[in-house]
Amino acid sequence: MLNKLYDWVDERLDITPIWRDIADHEVPEHVNPAHHFSAFVYCFGGLTFFITVIQILSGMFLTMYYVPDIENAWQSVYYLQNEVAFGEIVRGMHHWGASLVVVMIFLHTLRVFFTGSYKKPRELNWVVGVMLFGVILGLSFTGYLLPWDMKALFATKVGIEIAASVPLIGGMIKVLLAGDSTILGAQTLTRFFAIHVFFLPAALLGLLAAHFIMIRRQGISGPL
């Protein structure tokens, strides 16, 4: 059945060359765990992407129930976790995945640095990777406030004050994140929700596309 569907689509769109270009490429021997035990360090990038996909899918589910206003945000999270079927599992995946993806991208960045994979001709890909790291951290920071409990409120307040201490642009960053009010309120929650759900994911997808295109063109970097 799937073969017939593939043939039907391929006959109309000629997708086989595209699929072969993506999937059929040599994997260097030094990233094969069967030949080199240290090859597992080359898995950090793929694991980061895998967890990112889980974060996107679970986040899409959470937005079906989350209400981004200060009157109903906490109640909507409580309802999702305690009343919705499998809601606690999905929220748990998103919660722990948010921490795990930061750990994995950090390990991936360390691997790239210590194996010298940021050097010519991969300098631009290193820049894109660092930007991806920043976007992931931004997603973690903006998502922390969304449950709208006391822990999230005070932690976010500290984070905004740290951002406000940046020379020259600190005040603008604070207004961007918190709004015009001097206290965290409805504007803050709405802005964090918009940044977390729309702006940063758009940047994430664009940077991931650029990252993968460059990896495909340049290939996997060699060993240390």
Side-chain angles (χ1 to χ4, degrees):
M1 182 64 182
L2 290 177
N3 289 336
K4 289 182 179 179
L5 178 62
Y6 179 89
D7 292 339
W8 186 87
V9 174
D10 185 49
E11 184 180 355
R12 287 154 180 79
L13 301 178
D14 193 25
I15 62 174
T16 295
I18 301 174
W19 170 247
R20 284 178 177 169
D21 184 61
I22 295 173
D24 293 348
H25 62 278
E26 265 190 60
V27 176
E29 185 179 342
H30 67 277
V31 301
N32 187 344
H35 295 87
H36 296 276
F37 175 75
S38 61
F40 76 93
V41 300
Y42 285 85
C43 298
F44 292 145
L47 289 172
T48 302
F49 176 69
F50 175 72
I51 300 168
T52 299
V53 171
I54 292 177
Q55 290 299 97
I56 293 172
L57 295 177
S58 59
M60 291 169 65
F61 176 83
L62 296 180
T63 56
M64 296 173 65
Y65 295 93
Y66 181 73
V67 181
D69 69 67
I70 58 176
E71 297 294 331
N72 298 294
W74 187 87
Q75 287 87 345
S76 65
V77 174
Y78 180 87
Y79 174 79
L80 167 69
Q81 185 159 324
N82 295 279
E83 302 294 335
V84 177
F86 306 109
E88 185 176 9
I89 295 175
V90 176
R91 192 197 170 205
M93 291 170 60
H94 199 75
H95 173 79
W96 293 108
S99 299
L100 188 56
V101 73
V102 173
V103 173
M104 295 310 303
I105 196 171
F106 177 69
L107 293 175
H108 178 56
T109 304
L110 287 180
R111 196 280 301 169
V112 172
F113 179 78
F114 284 113
T115 58
S117 302
Y118 59 88
K119 297 178 181 179
K120 185 180 179 180
R122 297 180 174 83
E123 304 96 328
L124 185 58
N125 210 2
W126 168 260
V127 173
V128 171
V130 172
M131 294 172 67
L132 276 168
F133 201 159
V135 169
I136 292 293
L137 292 177
L139 285 164
S140 297
F141 178 64
T142 53
Y144 200 83
L145 177 67
L146 300 186
W148 200 247
D149 54 16
M150 296 304 294
K151 180 181 178 182
L153 196 64
F154 285 109
T156 302
K157 183 177 180 180
V158 172
I160 291 177
E161 292 301 326
I162 292 174
S165 66
V166 175
L168 300 178
I169 62 173
M172 292 184 288
I173 295 175
K174 184 176 181 179
V175 172
L176 174 66
L177 294 175
D180 296 329
S181 176
T182 56
I183 60 174
L184 303 189
Q187 276 193 17
T188 312
L189 182 62
T190 302
R191 288 172 185 237
F192 270 59
F193 177 77
I195 293 171
H196 187 75
V197 174
F198 298 110
F199 292 97
L200 289 181
L204 178 71
L205 294 177
L207 290 171
L208 279 175
H211 197 58
F212 287 139
I213 289 172
M214 285 187 280
I215 291 173
R216 189 66 185 89
R217 293 291 179 87
Q218 298 168 344
I220 299 174
S221 61
L224 180 66

